[in-house]
Amino acid sequence: PDIKIKEMDARNMKFPKHSFDFISVSTLFSSVIDKEIRFQIASEISRVLKPSGIIIYYDLRFNNSYNSNIIGIDKKEINNLFPDMKKKIKKITLLPPLARRLGKTTPYLYPLFSMIPLLKSHYVGLFKK
């Protein structure tokens, strides 16, 4: 009941330095086309995160061939966005276009296909400042 939602530019958040213990970032960076703006957002996230804070990260690792406004973020860029953080990153999520086509075979094929790294469309990560 005490939740307050605030809308603001992610490049210039109106919070003091070291305000948050935890920040969740879900499909944010893949939705920002400009590399410099992605860097500004990551810097601002780092600024408002407490020195021992953590980030839970989830984002696409491939470009979206149906939507040019969605771009994949690879591990190298993740490391460039958050250079001074300890990171645990792994591939996750079976490619949604493939997963949607499994139909009645989903309970059987999804677990098998999701073991193939090439078919995993996202990264999930735990970053510690």
Side-chain angles (χ1 to χ4, degrees):
D2 294 331
I3 292 176
K4 293 181 177 111
I5 297 175
K6 298 186 180 210
E7 180 181 335
M8 61 188 75
D9 186 332
R11 296 170 293 177
N12 185 24
M13 291 187 266
K14 305 299 182 198
F15 297 111
K17 186 177 182 180
H18 304 149
S19 294
F20 298 95
D21 294 304
F22 166 79
I23 296 175
S24 175
V25 177
S26 181
T27 63
L28 168 65
F29 292 102
S30 61
S31 300
V32 178
I33 301 301
D34 186 288
K35 197 170 197 159
E36 179 58 31
I37 293 174
R38 287 194 303 271
F39 182 77
Q40 292 169 355
I41 292 169
S43 294
E44 188 66 355
I45 289 170
S46 295
R47 182 188 72 78
V48 299
L49 189 64
K50 288 183 179 178
S52 60
I54 61 168
I55 297 172
I56 299 292
Y57 176 96
Y58 178 79
D59 216 330
L60 290 161
R61 58 186 211 107
F62 297 122
N63 291 345
N64 184 328
S65 57
Y66 301 106
N67 185 346
S68 61
N69 293 313
I70 305 292
I71 58 162
I73 307 297
D74 61 22
K75 267 190 178 178
K76 181 179 177 186
E77 182 162 1
I78 294 169
N79 286 321
N80 288 337
L81 290 170
F82 299 99
D84 298 328
M85 294 192 187
K86 294 178 184 176
K87 294 178 241 11
K88 291 183 182 181
I89 302 171
K90 71 179 216 172
K91 296 173 187 171
I92 193 171
T93 309
L94 182 62
L95 288 161
L98 174 59
R100 285 191 289 270
R101 295 180 193 271
L102 295 178
K104 292 179 182 178
T105 65
T106 300
Y108 312 105
L109 295 180
Y110 192 102
L112 294 173
F113 287 156
S114 66
M115 289 191 290
I116 303 169
L118 183 63
L119 298 180
K120 295 180 181 183
S121 58
H122 292 70
Y123 283 118
V124 64
L126 175 66
F127 306 167
K128 184 165 174 141
K129 195 169 183 183

